[in-house]
Amino acid sequence: MHLATQDFPRIWISNDSPSNWKEQLEALLEQGQRFVLLTRELPGAASDGPDNDAEAFSQWIKDNRDRLRLCCAASLVVVNNALMAFSLNAFVAPLSKKLGFPVRVVHEDELDSQVTAYLQATPALENS
């Protein structure tokens, strides 16, 4: 998995090589500024090749949940079909509670407004 950070605070995730996600996420967390994770790849659509590190990525997200939820304003899957965005949100919404930050599917026409809204929102702090 590859993270592109040049459009910070928009952090694009892809299944492309080279794999740099761990180093990039650690650097983002050290930076301490809020960002939004973006992808055009639906969850579970990872490649089956030898460079597939989706399991390691998922485990890292779980292990670093508390740190990540303070900086990650949201994770948005960008699609080009509004009906698909609406329909898929029911399936990805439960991930929000599990990960500690909002996970949504958004239509590409709404991307700018959604990124802005999530970056401006105050992170929810848990009492436990």
Side-chain angles (χ1 to χ4, degrees):
M1 296 181 74
H2 183 81
L3 266 65
T5 60
Q6 63 268 22
D7 291 331
F8 185 88
R10 294 173 181 228
I11 309 301
W12 285 94
I13 303 172
S14 69
N15 287 327
D16 296 339
S17 293
S19 179
N20 70 346
W21 63 268
K22 189 172 184 180
E23 299 83 19
Q24 292 295 333
L25 282 174
E26 288 288 348
L28 288 166
L29 293 179
E30 288 297 319
Q31 189 175 333
Q33 295 181 19
R34 290 178 45 86
F35 58 87
V36 176
L37 295 173
L38 303 168
T39 187
R40 291 191 179 275
E41 299 168 10
L42 294 173
S47 66
D48 293 328
D51 294 329
N52 180 9
D53 47 5
E55 287 183 34
F57 179 76
S58 294
Q59 187 61 49
W60 187 93
I61 295 290
K62 290 176 191 173
D63 293 345
N64 291 277
R65 179 182 185 263
D66 291 337
R67 293 174 57 208
L68 193 57
R69 71 182 170 93
L70 296 175
C71 294
C72 183
S75 179
L76 305 177
V77 178
V78 184
V79 297
N80 62 3
N81 181 305
L83 183 57
M84 179 186 284
F86 178 78
S87 300
L88 290 176
N89 270 312
F91 295 102
V92 300
L95 290 173
S96 299
K97 184 166 178 85
K98 183 177 179 181
L99 298 177
F101 52 85
V103 178
R104 300 286 184 268
V105 180
V106 300
H107 184 262
E108 58 191 9
D109 289 346
E110 298 177 352
L111 181 59
D112 291 337
S113 64
Q114 291 291 311
V115 167
T116 299
Y118 282 112
L119 288 172
Q120 291 176 348
T122 303
L125 298 176
E126 294 179 358
N127 295 328
S128 56

